[in-house]
Amino acid sequence: MPTLLAAATLPDAITFAVAAVICVAGALGVVLMRNPVHAALNLVMTLFGIAVLFVEEDAQFLAAVQVIVYTGAIVVLFLFVIMLLGVDRQEQVFADGFVAQRLVPLLLGALVLVEVLLLAHQHWVTGAAKVSGAARGTRTNVVALGRSLFTTYLLPFEVTSALLVVAVIGAVVLARRPHRVPEPGELPDGAVRAAPPAEPPVPSVGGGEGAADGADDETKVVSR
Amino acid sequence: MSPLAALLSPAHLLAANGLVLPHVNYTAIMPELILLGGMLLLLGISAVSPRHLPTQVYATATAGIGIASLIASLVLWHDVQKGGPFSAVARAVDIDGFATLVLVLCSCVVILGAFFAAGFLEREQVQGVEYYALALISASGAMLMGSANDLILVFLGLEILSIPLYVMAGLDQRRAASGEAAMKYFLLGAFSSAVFVYGIALTYGATGSTNLASIGSFLAQNVVVSNGVLLGGLALLLVGFGFKVAAVPFHMWTPDVYAGSPTPAVGFMAAVAKIGAFGALLRVLFSTFPTLRTSWQPILWALAILTLLLGALVAVVQRDVKRMLAYSSINHAGFILLGVQAGTSRGAEASLYYLFVYSVLVLGTFGVVAVVGGRGDEGHGIERYRGLAHRRPLLAGSMAVLLLAQAGAPFTTGFFSKLYVIEASIAAHSYALATVAMLSAAIATFFYLRLVFAMFGERAGRQASVAVPVAPAGAGAPGGAAGQFPPVGTLPAGPAVASAAGVLTLERAAGLVDPGRAEAAAVADDDAGPVVADADLQVSPWVWVGLALCVGTTVVLGIWPSPLVDFARHATLLF
């Protein structure tokens, strides 16, 4: 600790201390709060604290990503899921599960810790030239990242948009309601109908839901 | 200095203004742009058109887009032959003979895939543009993989290739098997993508670049003393590729996904995924890691042997034709790996040739399977094929040619493709591997011929030995099946699925079936064997065109192989 703090100036140290307290307090809140919404909000606090730490480390880009992606998107997603499942539902979290399930994380966590400590001691990983620049280079990392996104990685960056299009189409296709299952009494078009005519809903991005709804309503009317 | 001040300091603003954007050579990425732009156009048209356009309109448009990208690819091919290979867009893509061949191949797959899809979607009365849009994106991903010169672009290509395929696997929402296939493919595919990205990260860590050429030159100029990270990265990359091409320890998804997905989607999937993955694999191994050849050759050797043997042996015991073809595709992957394992330009050439041949064959074969499967895409037992030659001689004949070509019969492209990979393997002194390949080809011949004999053998329904359930096992009880598939219930008067006995009984009870059909229904009920109503085997003109192209290519280039062989040879000379 002394070596770590020696290089830092006083404002840095204060920022670090405040952010660390925010992080740890938030993390404790996530674990200890009974209400899942409160736990999620505490998670936001932790993630903000980490964002502050990133700024402190001159990793502005990561800080922005941390806020936008984690606090902005992921925790909101958590909250959506919590709300959908019902906030009031009581869950017995520790009721079942194997003992091994509790031991394995401990063991793995200890392993990772040992690995990190080892890595901190000696540097043996690569045979390559250093790939990371100085932490405080001539440019901030936002500039550096922006540059490489618009120069070296221009095509990969642009191509990512195709992935977004796929995601939209895929979500629409898979989330669409399946074809309406015909009633058992329903006959082919050529025969006399036992049930009212029901056009098979045709799937398309454009629409088709209206037809399905209409058919459902009709069926209901007849069955009454 | 505070970060904000640093960001706003004049020096940095100047640096930002002095940013030199790389020159974007649009010709180099034109085929991909055509496919993606065409896809967006199709989606736009379908969104604004007041009524549902028939599927044929979209199929025509897709084939047109495919032809446009084929022309763009051939223009690139011409450029490369005249002016030599070049890198474009900040060295992210490499346009050489190899890449242009992959571009041409993907364009052909799009065109053929559109024909087979049109026939299928028309029969299933599925409207909408989604299938074609997904196919176009997927093919553009394969193109990117083939021409990518950067591991990140390879990964993005892999994802753009795969994610539409996951969706296509689950496109048939009437069958639970289709959803299951999509789920399996997606979960395992996502897992393998994660492994692949990890491989990229380790490679980057070990060499300091994601650019394939830079990695190659770094490895050529430096000796990596402790190369554990590098080898780990290479191994994880191989796992990712192995999954995509369905090489054996990573093949588990293949039979279920092939059996569950809509049939024309399977043909497309098999072709385009193998093109993309093998394209990128060849480039990564041959132009980036040639220095590590002694490390990756044994891995590929083991992969190839396992893939060849397991694919052929397990295919023999399959009763479901789609599953059998799934294992056959694994077997084919083994043959292509043979050329990759050789590690020579001759091997790469043989692999490319094999890819070309295989894509055409697999598209055509699954095109026929889609027709024989009948409405609802359910009848894929081998018994459906019994006596097919008597009912649909032309269809059975095309299927026979395609199957024999897959088996490697002479006077077909399949023969030369197998010959070249084995030849390349022997030239690289992998004698054991070549022997195993020949053995596996012999085993594979058995199951291809079994299907051919079934088609040209006795008429269906007259054999007491055929004791097969009327409805495929996966569909559950026939009654449930009839309830599950709306097209069966909403058929127009003409065609009927005789195997859905429940519907027929119902029709007879209603007393409204014309005598001929009632008779057919009686036959269906009396006979133990399944009878496929001839009306159900309507082959759409679209499928005929596609089949004609596939069979024509297979036979003509099988008798006169030099153009395609030269094409493949020129492709690999220009690395």
Side-chain angles (χ1 to χ4, degrees), chain A residues 60 125-126 128 131 138-140 147 150-151 153 155-156 159 166 169 173-174 176 178 181 187-189 192 202-205, chain B residues 3 7 12 15 19-22 43 52 90 93 127 130 137 156 160 163 171 173 205-206 208 210 229 483 489 491 506 512:
Chain A
Q60 292 88 357
V125 173
T126 69
V131 293
T138 48
R139 294 183 187 130
T140 61
R147 274 185 170 273
F150 284 98
T151 54
Y153 297 106
L155 186 62
V159 155
V166 181
I169 302 175
V173 170
L174 292 180
R176 192 175 46 208
V181 175
L187 285 178
D189 287 359
V192 167
V202 272
S204 133
V205 176
Chain B
L7 199 66
H12 279 91
L19 186 72
V20 183
L21 291 175
L43 282 180
H52 292 296
V93 291
Q127 294 181 1
E130 299 86 353
I137 309 183
L156 285 171
I160 295 171
I163 294 177
L171 213 58
Q173 295 182 328
T210 56
V229 172
L491 276 182
L506 216 86
L512 286 159

Side-chain angles (χ1 to χ4, degrees), chain B residues 110-379:
Chain B
V110 166
I111 299 167
L112 287 175
F115 284 121
F116 290 118
F120 177 81
L121 298 177
E122 183 182 56
R123 189 189 66 198
E124 303 293 320
Q125 297 180 345
V126 176
Q127 294 181 1
V129 71
E130 299 86 353
Y131 181 95
Y132 303 102
L134 291 168
L136 287 171
I137 309 183
S138 189
S140 75
M143 286 179 167
L144 279 173
M145 286 186 84
S147 54
N149 191 29
D150 193 296
L151 280 174
I152 292 184
L153 199 57
V154 172
F155 172 69
L156 285 171
L158 185 76
E159 290 299 289
I160 295 171
L161 164 75
S162 310
I163 294 177
L165 292 183
Y166 306 149
V167 181
M168 282 163 92
L171 213 58
D172 194 350
Q173 295 182 328
R174 298 162 303 170
R175 289 184 300 118
S178 177
E180 183 193 332
M183 200 65 194
K184 264 189 186 146
Y185 199 12
F186 170 66
L187 287 178
L188 290 174
F191 186 67
S192 81
S193 294
V195 170
F196 189 81
V197 178
Y198 203 178
I200 294 178
L202 289 185
T203 311
Y204 176 65
T207 60
S209 176
T210 56
N211 189 287
L212 292 179
S214 305
I215 296 173
S217 60
F218 174 83
L219 290 176
Q221 287 158 12
N222 300 277
V223 176
V224 184
V225 180
S226 56
N227 60 356
V229 172
L230 182 60
L231 291 181
L234 180 59
L236 293 179
L237 290 179
L238 284 179
V239 172
F241 283 126
F243 178 87
K244 275 292 153 238
V245 304
V248 153
F250 320 111
H251 70 288
M252 297 297 182
W253 56 277
T254 317
D256 288 339
V257 171
Y258 279 35
S261 308
T263 311
V266 180
F268 181 80
M269 182 189 290
V272 85
K274 280 205 170 50
I275 296 167
F278 270 115
L281 177 67
L282 279 165
R283 187 183 291 279
V284 166
L285 289 183
F286 281 57
S287 70
T288 306
F289 293 116
T291 44
L292 296 177
R293 184 167 296 161
T294 47
S295 305
W296 54 256
Q297 263 182 335
I299 302 177
L300 287 182
W301 188 86
L303 281 184
I305 285 212
L306 286 174
T307 310
L308 284 167
L309 284 181
L310 188 129
L313 287 175
V314 182
V316 169
V317 296
Q318 299 301 319
R319 303 287 308 164
D320 184 304
V321 171
K322 273 168 96 178
R323 282 189 95 81
M324 187 200 91
L325 289 173
Y327 282 103
S328 124
S329 91
I330 296 175
N331 185 31
H332 285 299
F335 276 101
I336 305 175
L337 278 176
L338 215 63
V340 183
Q341 194 272 344
T344 54
S345 76
R346 198 172 175 184
E349 177 195 317
S351 290
L352 277 179
Y353 181 74
Y354 202 112
L355 268 179
F356 214 123
V357 169
Y358 172 74
S359 306
V360 172
L361 290 179
V362 79
L363 274 166
T365 312
F366 276 105
V368 177
V369 172
V371 170
V372 178
R375 268 180 180 259
D377 199 15
E378 282 284 344

Side-chain angles (χ1 to χ4, degrees), chain A residues 110-125:
Chain A
L111 256 176
V112 171
L113 186 67
V114 169
E115 197 185 345
V116 168
L117 289 178
L118 266 178
L119 282 180
H121 251 285
Q122 52 178 0
H123 186 73
W124 52 271
V125 173

